[in-house]
Amino acid sequence: MTHQRSLSTLPRRAAAFAVTTMLLLATAGCSMPLFPSGNDSSAKSASSSSSPSSSKSAKNAGKDTDKSGTPSTDSQTTSAPSAQDKAKEILATMSVEQKAGQLMMVPLFAGNGATDVQNLVQNDHVGSVLLLGNWKGGTSAVAQVSSKLQGYTSGVGLLICADQEGGQVQHLTGSGFDTMPSAVKQGQMSVDDLRSSAKTWGSQLKSAGVNVDLAPVAGTVQTANRSQNAPIGALDRDFGLDAAGNGQHAAAFVNGMRDAGVMSSIKHFPGLGGVTGNTDFTDSGITDTTTTLDGGQIEGFRQALQANPDMVMMSLATYSQIDPNEPAAFSSAILNDYLRGTLGYQGVVTSDSMSAAALGSIPAKELGVRFVSAGGDLICIGANEYVQPILTGLVQKAQSDPAFAQQVDQAALRVLTLKVNAGLVS
């Protein structure tokens, strides 16, 4: 059960008004809270040098980026020559369908078996799976599912992801998983204590076979009071500090996960702290009129990027002071020019859930194409009925448009490089 309508019938915006308790338990997009709990987890190479962007600071990395957002040869070689060379070798053997599959993160809901996505992994070449819903069976139960999922692959393993932030967003619970405090409570820890705690939580995720934690939130609440900010402040998903403090705590969380061998994703760039609506459920109140590229909201992400996170998740809100015409995930000015160019981030960029109500006016077949065209890599999907249209859209566009096919290659290369560094390539 999802909060989205059937693709052939109702308009997507209707999903925002059909949310029920059962729906909340079944969906999370790539950022949705669950009630009473939620979860997100990931696994990563223990060494910070294993990150595709780890060899240079965010401040300087942009100097080696071309206009398309692709790292130059010198930048890539300096970052991880062996990993990228291996990724290029794999890419050269892939069909268009296989490359497109590597850009897909598909949902697997709690209570369903790994076989639900077996066909997508084995026949549609999907490269990432997102665990959604209330997984209550503990680490051993999740580990059994993760192992089965990885068994469907050959040569290139899966990114197995979850939203494990803490508080109301902790999807994996039960024996072996600590009950994580909310991010606001994590913000009351010192950065050293938070890093230590994140290492513990990451170790639990790794034992469950989850190798990507789609956390932490690095944005800063900017509304008059926290309750007015539905996606973040009302749910205590930020660290509750100023932008610099939020960014430093986000970096500590990322480093703690890395210490445990788990990958992570800071989110939702350039921040959801200035909107009133939750992009998962509504297309109203999701235009940010205050965030600027030289303002405080961005500072939290600048600080968090110093930890070289494996992924950055893009917001689905629109930022009128930066690009009033496109949601951030579809904005080349925000994603490619600023995040990759100015800030120099060269790692994997993922979307928030493409099945969100915020994108209700856009045909599903165009969603992945617009994201990759803006410079994105990994397409997060929170509803099953969106998977095939998005995948078909990618393949058809790549087959008919050489320039887009090159962008698919660039995105797949970044994903494959990440996987090589994470030990997911045999």
Side-chain angles (χ1 to χ4, degrees), residues 138-149 177 206-210:
T139 55
S140 61
V142 176
Q144 290 177 11
V145 173
S146 298
S147 177
K148 195 165 186 177
L149 288 171
F177 290 114
K206 186 171 185 178
S207 71
V210 178

Side-chain angles (χ1 to χ4, degrees), residues 241-404:
L241 305 169
D242 61 11
N246 286 336
Q248 290 160 8
H249 278 69
F253 190 101
V254 169
N255 283 326
M257 286 286 158
R258 177 175 293 125
D259 293 341
V262 173
M263 294 175 277
S264 55
S265 173
I266 61 172
K267 59 188 186 185
H268 315 76
F269 190 83
L272 282 174
V275 299
T276 57
N278 186 328
T279 57
D280 285 299
F281 296 130
T282 182
D283 59 1
S284 300
I286 59 171
T287 296
D288 181 319
T289 61
T290 60
T291 296
T292 61
L293 294 180
D294 58 357
Q297 178 84 287
I298 297 293
E299 182 59 28
F301 288 92
R302 288 196 189 102
Q303 295 284 340
L305 285 169
Q306 299 307 307
N308 297 308
D310 304 276
M311 298 183 190
V312 174
M313 180 183 288
M314 298 299 297
S315 160
L316 301 182
T318 299
Y319 299 81
S320 61
Q321 298 296 311
I322 309 173
D323 183 351
N325 300 315
E326 295 283 0
F330 299 152
S331 171
S332 180
I334 296 175
L335 196 167
N336 193 55
D337 297 346
Y338 191 76
L339 177 59
R340 291 206 189 278
T342 302
L343 296 184
Y345 180 72
Q346 299 305 323
V348 169
V349 174
T350 184
S351 71
D352 204 343
S353 175
M354 287 293 178
S355 50
L359 305 179
S361 63
I362 302 171
K365 195 173 179 180
E366 297 178 12
L367 294 169
V369 171
R370 291 178 64 167
F371 179 60
V372 173
S373 294
D377 305 312
L378 191 56
I379 302 160
C380 174
I381 305 171
N384 291 319
E385 64 264 33
Y386 279 68
V387 174
Q388 287 298 339
I390 290 175
L391 186 56
T392 298
L394 289 174
V395 172
Q396 290 182 350
K397 181 68 171 176
Q399 289 173 335
S400 63
D401 185 339
F404 182 75

